[in-house]
């Protein structure tokens, strides 16, 4: 069996609307919103009776997606949003952009904060990490 593709990366948030607006500003498109609940969903996640609002965000090329989830029940049990870059586990998502400086300027208006510095890597990429809504860690890369 061969792996076919990666469908999405899931991010749990408290404020779905603010997070959708932030990722739209970055350039993702809202593919759809839905409420997920019922016995079948709890069997998949192991959480039992759950009620979750989700939004699926798609990259402009159509190949990648973010699934933003807001859990109504059960309540969120852990918070890793302020973990440093070297923390164990899933940590960040990275996007390639046309112009890092222009992207940072737009996202700062939505509360984004630069984590370190914007740096050039071997005349190949300009890179940085930002904290987006709710402290989410996001990488930005610009091909040079």
């Amino acid at each position: 069996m061969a792996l076919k593709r990666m469908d999405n990366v899931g991010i749990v948030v408290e404020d779905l609307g603010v997070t959708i607006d932030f990722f739209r500003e970055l350039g993702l498109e809202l593919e759809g919103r839905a409420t997920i609940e019922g016995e079948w969903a709890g069997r998949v996640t192991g959480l039992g009776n759950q009620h979750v609002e989700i939004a699926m965000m798609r990259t402009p090329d159509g190949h990648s997606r973010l699934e933003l989830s807001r859990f109504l029940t059960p309540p969120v049990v852990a918070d890793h949003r302020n973990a440093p870059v070297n923390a164990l586990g899933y940590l960040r998502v990275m996007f390639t952009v046309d112009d890092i400086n222009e992207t940072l300027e737009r996202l700062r208006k939505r509360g984004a904060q630069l984590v370190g510095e914007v740096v050039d890597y071997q005349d190949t990429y300009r890179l940085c990490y930002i904290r987006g809504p709710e402290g989410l860690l996001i990488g930005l890369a610009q091909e040079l």
Side-chain angles (χ1 to χ4, degrees):
M1 283 302 244
L3 179 74
K4 289 185 176 184
R5 67 180 173 269
M6 184 183 80
D7 284 334
N8 66 65
V9 172
I11 301 174
V12 177
V13 300
E14 289 179 319
D15 191 326
L16 199 55
V18 166
T19 309
I20 289 169
D21 290 343
F22 182 88
F23 283 111
R24 275 184 166 159
E25 185 68 39
L26 180 57
L28 277 73
E29 302 166 20
L30 179 62
E31 191 171 71
R33 289 181 75 158
T35 299
I36 307 296
E37 59 186 325
E39 178 267 337
W40 71 270
R43 288 194 351 251
V44 171
T45 63
L47 293 176
N49 186 25
Q50 66 184 34
H51 185 193
V52 184
E53 295 177 330
I54 68 162
M56 194 64 75
M57 306 291 297
R58 181 182 57 236
T59 56
D61 66 2
H63 294 292
S64 302
R65 288 172 178 74
L66 290 182
E67 180 180 307
L68 306 175
S69 301
R70 178 177 170 257
F71 278 81
L72 303 171
T73 55
V76 174
V77 297
D79 190 341
H80 305 286
R81 292 175 291 190
N82 292 314
V85 173
N86 61 341
L88 294 173
Y90 294 107
L91 187 61
R92 61 129 176 97
V93 60
M94 182 168 279
F95 298 98
T96 299
V97 298
D98 289 328
D99 183 328
I100 274 190
N101 293 331
E102 183 273 333
T103 302
L104 285 172
E105 186 177 316
R106 284 187 297 110
L107 295 179
R108 281 186 173 127
K109 294 175 185 172
R110 297 220 177 248
Q113 296 180 332
L114 193 60
V115 172
E117 301 175 30
V118 177
V119 298
D120 289 352
Y121 173 72
Q122 297 183 350
D123 297 323
T124 307
Y125 285 99
R126 179 164 287 135
L127 303 163
C128 72
Y129 287 150
I130 61 172
R131 291 276 179 190
E134 301 186 27
L136 297 174
L137 188 60
I138 299 163
L140 300 176
Q142 174 187 337
E143 294 175 301
L144 298 175

